[in-house]
């Protein structure tokens, strides 16, 4: 991919390449700051590999887990990639259901994904197939829950003043 | 320990089929004066050579991401203070800018230049801490005692601006809580005038010091490609020869108005990390000087915030005497101001790398999700690879030169 192309052209390059994934790419949306690609879980590894090798998004900025309680696709991973030469960032989202919590690991593409995926496992209980050392990282080893899930209470459950209704949801 | 492969050279030392050597397991940390923070590294050593490292982190994990889901947006600033506490103003400003990106607030130039000044002061303070500690770990205590006075002077400036020295909670979403005082401006001007001489002194002590170079050159090196694969950013990546700087690649806060050099190294070793930081401090001084000049040229001498009454607390005397400020005061304190639904990723060049905030808002009173990209959490995982095959004493130096901050690592 050439180093400096204008933003519209870069977005078009991405869209053209995504067409090859057919219906596995469920949507390409323009969010407030970045272009976001929604992909099905079975294609996420191939898509990230194509991003890295063909479109120049060679830097994994961050990846993190998400939890949307009450939705059919309850869990998700969000990857932020960066094409440093072109100065182009992109967001890739991949949602899954609560009973299918195993993603392919991307540690083979970026060694830096190692701890990021361990964090996702530690806090959301998302598993990564092929991860070399998938164990808790920030919480203690025998911690009984996945604390970033929305159903894990932050406050003392006997407290009355921290009701979700007061937080606008 | 069983998984450690025996090095090739051991074969020569087999006597009658018996292996006479033994491996040592050494706990470096969790609390050790040389780790400058609470990290544990279980090292497997052959004599003084490191064969294998197992890292344990999370000793001061405080669940900032979870806490942020139960805090009104303006209260999250205090959490960011406690990440990289060597340069908390950068974290504060990074968070304010993330919110401003979500809300679509544009700031007056004067506010942005004031932010640049504070962020560059924070960068200098951060680099002073890191580089003097490299000296300290290499046996040179003098910089740690003498160059640190500049950090104290920078903290005096913070104190004059916001009242705190370490966990600053500086500025507000949409601008500043108050204008800098005359004393603060005077101190900033003083530091711009005096710091270059102090840095020169620091340079003359270590930069071409034979002993220091012997200790740091080729100590804990990492190549550019490997550094990118490991997600390095900031001075550590630039020391490996990649000229990536968020201030240049994604300019925020009017950094595009400034003229500065992005120093890079070649071999990514401890010495390069040291020199890159030394040079960056000089560039930061130059940026502050430019900012002061630009502020002098601006016709706007008073504005300290964008027009966002819903985010910045009104002056107290107005709250007691007028209706509008009273309403805003109440709404801000109760966290009742409207936030659009949306997602933003915003990053700033922190003291040790790209500090990113991925904010998902569902229109509620708090973030739906806030993911923090903490640079040292991401690059610290390369540490075993960087020290493998080296000496134990090099491992200490490598760690201090990576600028790993426990508060940010464990978030």
């Amino acid at each position: 991919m050439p180093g400096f192309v204008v933003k519209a052209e870069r977005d078009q390059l991405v869209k053209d390449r995504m067409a090859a994934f057919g219906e596995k790419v469920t949507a390409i949306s323009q969010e407030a700051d970045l272009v976001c690609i929604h992909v099905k879980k079975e294609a996420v590894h191939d898509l990230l590999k194509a991003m890295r090798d063909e479109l120049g998004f060679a830097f994994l900025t961050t990846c993190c887990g998400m939890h949307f309680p009450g939705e059919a696709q309850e869990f998700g991973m969000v990857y932020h990639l960066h094409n440093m030469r072109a100065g182009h960032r992109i967001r890739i989202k991949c949602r899954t259901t609560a009973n299918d919590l195993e993603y392919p690991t991307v540690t083979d593409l970026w060694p830096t994904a190692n701890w990021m995926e361990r964090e996702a496992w530690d806090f959301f209980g998302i598993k990564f197939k092929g991860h070399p050392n998938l164990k808790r990282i920030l919480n203690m080893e025998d911690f009984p829950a996945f604390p970033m899930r929305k159903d894990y209470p932050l406050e003392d459950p006997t407290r009355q003043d921290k009701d979700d209704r007061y937080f606008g949801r | 320990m069983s998984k450690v492969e025996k090095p090739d050279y051991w074969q020569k030392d087999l006597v009658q089929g018996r292996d006479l050597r033994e491996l040592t397991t050494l706990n470096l940390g969790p609390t050790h004066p040389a780790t400058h923070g609470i990290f544990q590294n279980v090292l497997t050593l052959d004599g003084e050579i490191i064969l294998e490292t197992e890292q344990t982190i999370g000793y001061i994990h405080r669940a900032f991401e979870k806490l942020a889901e139960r805090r009104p947006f303006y209260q999250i600033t205090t959490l960011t203070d406690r990440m990289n506490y060597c340069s908390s103003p950068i974290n504060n400003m990074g968070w304010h800018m993330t919110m401003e990106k979500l809300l679509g607030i544009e700031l007056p130039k004067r506010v942005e230049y004031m932010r640049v000044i504070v962020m560059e002061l924070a960068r200098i303070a951060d680099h002073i801490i890191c580089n003097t500690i490299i000296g300290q770990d290499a046996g040179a205590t003098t910089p740690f005692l003498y160059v640190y006075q500049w950090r104290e002077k920078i903290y005096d400036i913070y104190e004059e601006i916001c009242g705190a020295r370490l966990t600053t909670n500086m500025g507000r979403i949409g601008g500043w809580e108050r204008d800098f005082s005359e004393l603060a401006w005077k101190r900033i001007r003083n530091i711009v005038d005096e710091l270059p001489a102090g840095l020169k002194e620091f340079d003359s002590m270590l930069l071409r010091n034979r002993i220091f170079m012997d200790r740091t050159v080729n100590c804990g090196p990492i190549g550019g490609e490997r550094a990118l694969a490991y997600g390095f950013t900031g001075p550590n990546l630039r020391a490996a020869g990649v000229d990536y700087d968020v201030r240049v690649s994604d300019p925020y806060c009017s950094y595009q108005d400034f003229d500065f050099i992005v120093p890079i190294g070649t071999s990514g070793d401890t010495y390069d990390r040291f020199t890159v930081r030394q040079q960056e401090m000089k560039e930061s001084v130059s940026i502050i000087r430019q900012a002061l000049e630009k502020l002098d040229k601006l016709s706007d001498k008073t504005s300290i915030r964008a027009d966002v009454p819903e985010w910045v607390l009104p002056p107290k005397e107005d709250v007691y005497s007028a209706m509008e400020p009273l309403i805003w005061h109440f709404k801000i304190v109760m966290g009742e101001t409207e936030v659009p639904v949306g997602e933003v990723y915003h990053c700033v060049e922190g003291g040790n790398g790209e500090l990113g905030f991925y904010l998902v808002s569902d229109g509620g009173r708090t973030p739906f999700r806030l993911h923090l990209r903490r640079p040292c959490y991401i690059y610290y995982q390369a540490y075993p690879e960087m020290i493998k095959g080296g000496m134990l004493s090099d491992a200490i130096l490598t760690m201090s030169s990576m600028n790993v901050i426990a508060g940010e690592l464990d978030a």
Side-chain angles (χ1 to χ4, degrees):
Chain A
M1 187 175 174
F4 292 94
V5 279
V6 293
K7 186 169 177 305
E9 281 178 40
R10 294 180 320 210
D11 290 348
Q12 196 54 48
L13 277 172
V14 171
K15 277 182 189 142
D16 292 347
R17 180 64 186 80
M18 289 305 107
F21 285 94
E23 61 183 21
K24 282 177 182 158
V25 171
T26 48
I28 301 177
S29 58
Q30 174 69 48
E31 290 179 352
D33 53 343
L34 299 177
V35 171
C36 175
I37 295 171
H38 301 256
V39 62
K40 286 186 179 167
K41 191 154 69 76
E42 62 264 28
V44 64
H45 190 274
D46 292 344
L47 186 136
L48 289 168
K49 195 169 185 334
M51 282 282 173
R52 184 189 75 159
D53 297 340
E54 295 165 38
L55 293 167
F57 289 94
F59 189 78
L60 176 67
T61 303
T62 180
C63 69
C64 63
M66 302 287 282
H67 185 209
F68 303 89
E71 292 184 25
Q73 303 252 300
E74 203 179 324
F75 287 90
M77 285 293 291
V78 180
Y79 300 85
H80 283 88
L81 303 185
H82 191 182
N83 181 342
M84 284 186 176
R85 285 179 65 202
H88 193 190
R89 290 174 193 269
I90 204 161
R91 179 179 297 146
I92 290 155
K93 290 185 184 171
C94 178
R95 296 279 288 268
T96 186
T97 54
N99 45 22
D100 178 25
L101 276 180
E102 192 171 69
Y103 281 79
T105 183
V106 293
T107 46
D108 53 334
L109 303 177
W110 292 283
T112 182
N114 189 326
W115 281 16
M116 300 178 189
E117 291 182 346
R118 278 177 70 183
E119 201 181 13
W121 158 250
D122 190 358
F123 287 93
F124 290 90
I126 296 170
K127 292 194 206 72
F128 294 91
K129 194 178 182 184
H131 190 286
N133 184 25
L134 192 64
K135 58 181 190 183
R136 285 188 183 271
I137 184 156
L138 291 176
N139 291 305
M140 60 184 183
E141 201 53 53
D142 47 0
F143 194 75
F146 298 115
M148 279 296 282
R149 289 189 180 180
K150 290 282 179 187
D151 47 14
Y152 184 80
L154 172 64
E155 304 286 344
D156 175 357
T158 58
R159 277 183 75 164
Q160 301 287 312
D161 57 331
K162 297 263 177 164
D163 195 300
D164 248 353
R165 283 171 301 169
Y166 304 133
F167 291 88
R169 59 179 75 96
Chain B
M1 196 150 120
S2 54
K3 66 183 173 184
V4 177
E5 281 178 32
K6 292 186 175 175
D8 308 337
Y9 55 79
W10 277 19
Q11 300 302 325
K12 296 171 195 159
D13 293 313
L14 290 179
V15 179
Q16 298 171 341
R18 276 196 309 135
D19 187 353
L20 293 180
R21 293 211 185 186
E22 280 185 8
L23 297 178
T24 318
T25 304
L26 185 75
N27 273 289
L28 179 62
T31 52
H32 188 280
T35 58
H36 309 291
I38 312 169
F39 333 107
Q40 187 188 27
N41 285 287
V42 183
L43 307 173
T44 304
L45 302 170
D46 170 22
E48 250 192 296
I49 308 286
I50 294 164
L51 300 180
E52 193 77 35
T53 310
E54 198 186 325
Q55 295 167 290
T56 314
I57 65 166
Y59 285 93
I60 58 163
H61 174 57
R62 292 145 296 170
F64 284 164
E65 293 183 5
K66 185 78 177 174
L67 283 174
E69 290 179 8
R70 281 302 185 98
R71 285 199 178 197
F73 292 93
Y74 69 94
Q75 287 185 358
I76 291 169
T77 323
T78 52
L79 300 179
T80 64
D81 284 338
R82 285 145 181 87
M83 289 202 295
N84 185 347
Y85 40 73
C86 298
S87 52
S88 9
I90 301 183
N91 310 351
N92 299 158
M93 301 302 151
W95 167 246
H96 298 327
M97 282 184 261
T98 310
M99 278 307 290
E100 283 152 14
K101 199 171 184 178
L102 178 73
L103 300 164
I105 298 173
E106 289 222 359
L107 295 177
K109 279 282 177 192
R110 181 167 192 267
V111 177
E112 300 214 316
Y113 293 154
M114 282 159 79
R115 282 189 173 177
V116 166
I117 290 176
V118 168
M119 286 195 283
E120 293 307 317
L121 285 173
R123 193 178 322 284
I124 294 170
D126 187 280
H127 288 358
I128 284 177
I129 295 169
C130 184
N131 271 5
T132 54
I133 282 175
I134 299 175
Q136 167 87 1
D137 287 348
T141 317
T142 323
F144 188 67
L145 298 176
Y146 279 82
V147 185
Y148 244 48
Q149 63 174 310
W150 297 104
R151 172 179 167 273
E152 283 306 305
K153 288 182 180 170
I154 289 170
Y155 281 15
D156 286 346
I157 297 173
Y158 295 171
E159 199 175 3
E160 192 55 34
I161 292 172
C162 69
R165 294 170 70 84
L166 194 72
T167 48
T168 49
N169 190 22
M170 197 187 271
R172 295 290 180 264
I173 295 161
W176 290 93
E177 65 272 39
R178 65 181 80 82
D179 205 347
F180 293 2
S181 68
E182 271 311 306
L183 182 61
W185 286 116
K186 189 169 153 257
R187 283 181 178 163
I188 292 167
R189 284 176 207 282
N190 278 349
I191 213 156
V192 170
D193 292 339
E194 293 166 15
L195 184 59
L199 290 176
K200 204 173 170 195
E201 222 174 25
F202 189 11
D203 268 357
S204 62
M205 167 149 259
L206 290 182
L207 199 61
R208 304 301 289 171
N209 180 325
R210 187 71 257 166
I211 303 168
F212 183 72
M213 287 179 75
D214 282 346
R215 285 287 278 116
T216 53
V217 172
N218 216 3
C219 160
I222 187 161
E225 204 165 319
R226 206 65 196 140
L228 283 171
Y230 266 119
F232 274 52
T233 42
N236 293 340
L237 179 64
R238 292 193 281 276
V242 183
D243 60 343
Y244 172 65
D245 186 322
V246 185
R247 292 176 292 173
V248 177
S249 73
D250 304 74
Y252 54 91
C253 206
S254 294
Y255 266 109
Q256 67 276 13
D257 298 356
F258 295 89
D259 184 17
F260 59 98
I261 294 166
V262 178
I264 58 167
T266 47
S267 58
D269 57 11
T270 301
Y271 185 69
D272 277 11
R273 286 191 281 272
F274 175 84
T275 44
V276 162
R277 283 198 193 91
Q278 284 297 88
Q279 196 58 40
E280 267 183 25
M281 284 195 267
K282 292 168 197 163
E283 295 302 323
S284 292
V285 175
S286 143
I287 292 173
I288 299 172
R289 189 176 292 123
Q290 292 173 42
L292 288 171
E293 281 165 13
K294 284 179 199 297
L295 281 168
D296 279 344
K297 280 184 202 146
L298 279 183
S299 54
D300 173 13
K301 301 281 184 208
T302 50
S303 56
I304 51 167
R305 66 186 66 139
D307 184 20
V308 278
E310 62 266 43
W311 290 105
V312 190
L313 279 175
K316 207 65 169 184
E317 54 275 19
D318 293 355
V319 176
Y320 290 135
S321 60
M323 189 175 71
E324 279 279 306
L326 176 65
I327 295 170
W328 285 126
H329 183 93
F330 182 78
K331 287 190 99 172
I332 291 168
V333 172
M334 299 307 288
E336 285 298 329
T337 40
E338 291 292 315
V339 182
V341 178
E343 303 185 5
V344 284
Y345 176 79
H346 185 73
C347 53
V348 293
E349 180 72 23
N352 49 2
E354 174 180 334
L355 174 70
F357 298 86
Y358 172 47
L359 170 68
V360 183
S361 161
D362 65 347
R365 202 169 104 168
T366 62
F368 178 77
R369 170 101 168 90
L370 176 65
H371 176 68
L372 306 164
R373 185 204 192 269
R374 292 106 58 201
C376 66
Y377 175 78
I378 289 168
Y379 65 64
Y380 183 52
Q381 52 186 314
Y383 182 61
E385 187 174 307
M386 290 163 79
I387 61 170
K388 192 171 183 174
M391 306 281 270
L392 176 59
S393 51
D394 286 354
I396 304 282
L397 264 183
T398 306
M399 183 187 279
S400 52
S401 72
M402 281 170 85
N403 202 0
V404 184
I405 311 285
E408 187 178 82
L409 182 74
D410 295 342

